[in-house]
Amino acid sequence: MLNEVERWLTERSWSVTDRPLHRILAAKQRTGQTVSVVLPALNEEETVGDIVAVIRHDLMQQVPLVDEIVVVDSGSTDRTSEVAAAAGATVVHRDEILPRIPTVPGKGEVLWRSLLVTRGDIVCFVDADLKEFSSDFVSGIVGPLLTDPGVDLVKAMYDRPLGGAAGQGGRVTELMARPLLNMHWPQLAGFVQPLGGEYAARRTLLEQLPFPVGYGVELGMLVDALHLVGLDALAQVDVGVRKHRHQDGQALGRMSAAIYRTAQLRLARGHLVRPSLIQFERGEDGFEPRTYSVDTEERPPMVEIAEYASRKVA
């Protein structure tokens, strides 16, 4: 491990208990910063309402830490929007944001567009499929941004059980993302959950970053933030255990391909390799190939979008 990473693990890796809530609230009041929580959601009616309700109760009603909760629905066919709204979130459909630019499927697309419908100085992203959700996931990663002006982005770290086995979740992280980071961006090797969907950042950083439209968004954001603000502006906080819905092996394969492509673009911009993935399913005549396209499109930094710039002026 690099000496720089060892130092970073000591100085920039914390526990949620390191910053009591009263200290975080005092810093928020002193600095006047506002906090937005964004949940990207696609067919998450079973979990999104509980997550919104916990955040509203713990961090808006009990204490004034969060200023707004926005659920961005990316085309749900279930009751995700209704459940989220009933729980107290502001619900916006992905296609209603920046209609001048046609939408494409993908998590990164939703996160990018969310910058246009939120106001917070700090934006906190939380996946909408979490079970047994704790508001520590929000206060833990927002805390360092409110108390330390030298921190620009904070990732949550946690245990990820798979079934009854502790620590066996995060298969794409262990098989794809961690090797890539260790080989090509060893400064980022200290991140426990580099692909985790729970992280917070200053708007001033997010608006300068390109957003891969698909599953590569988390890796791309870490790499780009490293180059833009440096390792010491990045941090992680231990918030306990993350329980969520797991995807099947083929879905994980497609996710891995998107993440690899995101890394490749950052290693050699402009060098195009065939952006597709072939997987196999057994059919009546044996194994049949299925070809899936891999996300290659990226949205530009939001600061370059005229609508966003005009909103800031207004």
Side-chain angles (χ1 to χ4, degrees), residues 172 176-177 180 195 215-216 219 254-264 294:
V172 175
M176 174 60 71
L180 280 173
L195 300 185
Y215 285 121
L219 183 134
R254 295 191 289 275
M255 186 185 301
S256 297
I259 290 165
Y260 179 79
R261 179 59 179 154
T262 299
Q264 182 189 58
V294 176

Side-chain angles (χ1 to χ4, degrees), residues 6-314:
E6 290 184 351
R7 176 190 58 78
W8 179 86
L9 282 169
T10 300
E11 299 178 357
R12 286 290 187 262
S13 292
W14 299 296
S15 167
V16 66
T17 59
D18 290 335
R19 289 175 176 79
L21 198 53
H22 68 83
R23 180 183 167 198
I24 298 172
L25 290 168
K28 182 178 191 290
Q29 184 176 18
R30 183 176 65 254
T31 61
Q33 297 177 89
T34 53
V35 177
S36 298
V37 175
V38 173
L39 280 72
L42 177 63
N43 293 330
E44 303 293 356
E45 68 174 352
E46 294 183 5
T47 50
V48 68
D50 290 341
I51 297 172
V52 171
V54 168
I55 296 172
R56 277 188 56 81
H57 176 268
D58 292 0
L59 303 179
M60 296 182 79
Q61 297 169 349
Q62 296 282 74
V63 297
L65 180 64
V66 171
D67 297 281
E68 64 176 349
I69 306 174
V70 178
V71 171
V72 183
D73 190 331
S74 58
S76 298
T77 55
D78 64 3
R79 298 181 61 252
T80 290
S81 291
E82 293 87 341
V83 170
T90 299
V91 179
V92 185
H93 194 282
R94 174 199 61 194
D95 296 349
E96 298 172 354
I97 308 170
L98 197 62
R100 173 175 65 84
I101 300 177
T103 59
V104 295
K107 179 183 179 182
E109 176 83 353
V110 174
L111 301 184
W112 182 71
R113 290 177 186 265
S114 75
L115 296 181
L116 265 167
V117 292
T118 53
R119 294 284 181 177
D121 302 304
I122 294 169
V123 182
C124 175
F125 298 117
V126 176
D127 281 350
D129 66 342
L130 302 190
K131 302 174 182 177
E132 301 177 28
F133 179 77
S134 166
S135 59
D136 286 349
F137 274 72
V138 174
S139 59
I141 57 179
V142 167
L145 295 163
L146 289 169
T147 59
D148 190 336
V151 175
D152 288 328
L153 184 148
V154 183
K155 297 277 295 190
M157 57 177 167
Y158 32 65
D159 296 318
R160 294 185 67 180
L162 179 62
Q168 295 303 305
R171 291 162 288 173
V172 175
T173 292
E174 300 305 328
L175 297 175
M176 174 60 71
R178 199 176 307 287
L180 280 173
L181 292 175
N182 276 264
M183 287 187 292
H184 300 299
W185 296 280
Q187 287 177 295
L188 298 174
F191 276 95
V192 174
Q193 298 291 351
L195 300 185
E198 291 69 48
Y199 49 98
R202 300 190 192 281
R203 178 177 294 272
T204 51
L205 171 61
L206 293 172
E207 65 187 13
Q208 296 182 70
L209 298 177
F211 276 58
V213 298
Y215 285 121
V217 63
E218 275 85 21
L219 183 134
M221 189 176 294
L222 264 188
V223 171
D224 293 340
L226 173 68
H227 290 304
L228 192 62
V229 297
L231 181 61
D232 283 342
L234 312 180
Q236 60 185 350
V237 174
D238 186 350
V239 296
V241 178
R242 183 186 198 266
K243 297 181 180 180
H244 66 111
R245 170 176 43 81
H246 293 282
Q247 301 195 55
D248 62 37
Q250 293 207 338
L252 296 180
R254 295 191 289 275
M255 186 185 301
S256 297
I259 290 165
Y260 179 79
R261 179 59 179 154
T262 299
Q264 182 189 58
L265 283 171
R266 280 150 180 79
L267 288 168
R269 295 250 179 209
H271 178 62
L272 182 64
V273 175
R274 182 171 177 259
S276 61
L277 175 71
I278 296 176
Q279 295 181 322
F280 293 88
E281 297 178 5
R282 184 181 292 278
E284 293 181 359
D285 299 320
F287 284 103
E288 300 174 355
R290 299 285 187 271
T291 301
Y292 299 90
S293 61
V294 176
D295 297 320
T296 58
E297 186 173 356
E298 297 195 5
R299 294 307 191 189
M302 186 58 79
V303 74
E304 298 178 8
I305 299 298
E307 289 89 339
Y308 186 82
S310 64
R311 191 193 73 161
K312 292 186 73 175
V313 171

